[in-house]
Amino acid sequence: MFNAVLIDLLKIGLVVAALLQAASILTWVERKQSAAMQDRIGPNRADILGLTVLGLFHPIADGIKMLTKEDFRPRGADPYLFPLAPVLAFAPAVIAFAVIPWGGTLRFGEGAETWFVPLRIADINVGILFIFAVVSISVYGVVLAGWASANKWSLLGGLRAASQMLSYEVSMGLSAMGIFMVFQSLRLSEIAAGQGELMFGFIPKWGIFVQPLGFILFMTASIAEAKRVPFDIPEGESEIVAGYFTEYSGMKFGMFFLGEFVEVVLASALITTLFLGSYQIPFVVADQARNLYGLQLPGAELWPWNANLVAILQALAFVFKVCVMIFLLQTIRWTLPRFRYDQVMNLGWKMMFPLALANLLITAFLILALS
Amino acid sequence: MIPTKPVPTEKRDDKQLTFAERIYLPEILRGLRITLRHFFANIFVWGQRQVVTIAYPEVKRAVSPRWRGRHRLTVREDGTPRCTACFLCSTACPARCIHIVAEEHPDPNIEKRPGRFEIDLLKCVFCGLCVEACPCDAIRMDTGIFALSGFSRQDFYLSLPKLLEGVPAEGPASAGGPAKTRN
């Protein structure tokens, strides 16, 4: 019992540490990837003892810079809401990772005393609803930042952000609904386990194969939730200075900045969990009930592997898939121009919402017809 | 009224967006293909001709001999400045940033020399009229120095010793080779 609590605390520490590392490395990825796409080199000057490792010390330099900058508070800013807003923008993205499964299950011991360590922090029976609920709280962070800044442009940015995020939450939920109907569960662990099966004997039952339209809708909606280009009207870089976080400096700005990157990681992790087969590797079997672990190509025999090796490989597969999604989101960010605000609303309500409903209808008919 | 030639008008092509363009997804894929092509080309041949970054300050862009940088005063063979304090440059300057105080020259064949010669770089517009006006080729703007920085206003007032410092190590026209980049 005490062991279980200790293991959970370890997992929480691991996930939070990994998330913060990922967010700061993402700043490096963003700058270097955008440089490569724009025929530039990107940052390569920050060095320790003369070693510039492709500019990987720049996130550290950024962190030191943000910690040492003056903590500015504009005159007229709300004294309680102004410092609260960055917390509400940063914390929900990290909290949502509590239910995302990032690997299989480690097992130690034999027979009656097998000790399972599932590689996720918590397995709630409402799974995905928890994530949607927590992500909705981040809307508060944006709105409070816009309001408490006592700045007209921040207010505009905050208002636009609020309406954009609310609109796309609707489409996000509806487009993921198809996945829940196919896998018959809201629990993320069951969705992840269900994506290990094979359809027609050789196609893994990943969400992207059973719900291609849902994948596109969900990806678009989660980009809009994270306020990334092409939906970055709230930040409006080059239009309204920095939108809702114009008046923030130092580490408060750092919280918004890193919080946005954590949301990118969260969006990628969600898309991976629901649509890209979570931690499953095609043809790798991890059957906990029957104690079968290994590689089983279609039509061939099972090649048994060590259970913990399979779990670790699955965790690595999850990380790899999340990285691929992050790369894709960054490429989209540096390719597409920003949508106009009315185009964003138009897309959210008049195109994605009916498409998500149509997707639901078609999925329902197909499930009925094929059962 | 000045008669003007009629501007030729072209037929505007107001074609409707095709279905593929309206759903926007194929357009996104076309855009992604272009940026990804640049991305993969640049990370595998990093540092070669596809990247346009120059590693300043180790590598500087070449300036032509006529490019107007910071001023300098030229000297005769014996090391004294050529300037005879004739005030032609001071008069020609449109920003009125050159201030000269003349004094007697010990050599009886030369009338004057500048006792104080100050250029206020904060006012200078770098037009080069002083160089054109000088009859003795005493002032030139060929140092190629463009990085003028200082911590106070005094740092931007060039006086005689600074102006006589001469040409920097690279020479007036640093041709340089191909730009070297750092990974």
Side-chain angles (χ1 to χ4, degrees), chain B residues 24-42:
Chain B
Y24 200 43
L25 282 176
E27 293 297 311
I28 297 181
L29 291 175
R30 279 177 62 199
L32 287 181
R33 205 173 69 168
I34 297 177
T35 45
L36 284 177
R37 193 179 62 223
H38 277 260
F39 177 76
F40 287 116
N42 284 326

Side-chain angles (χ1 to χ4, degrees), chain B residues 12 20 35 49 62 65 96 98 102 115 119 129 133 152 158 160 171 178 180:
Chain B
R12 270 185 39 161
T35 45
R49 53 186 153 72
R96 302 188 208 160
I98 303 183
I119 301 181
L129 287 179
S152 68
L158 293 182
L160 254 183
K180 296 176 275 296

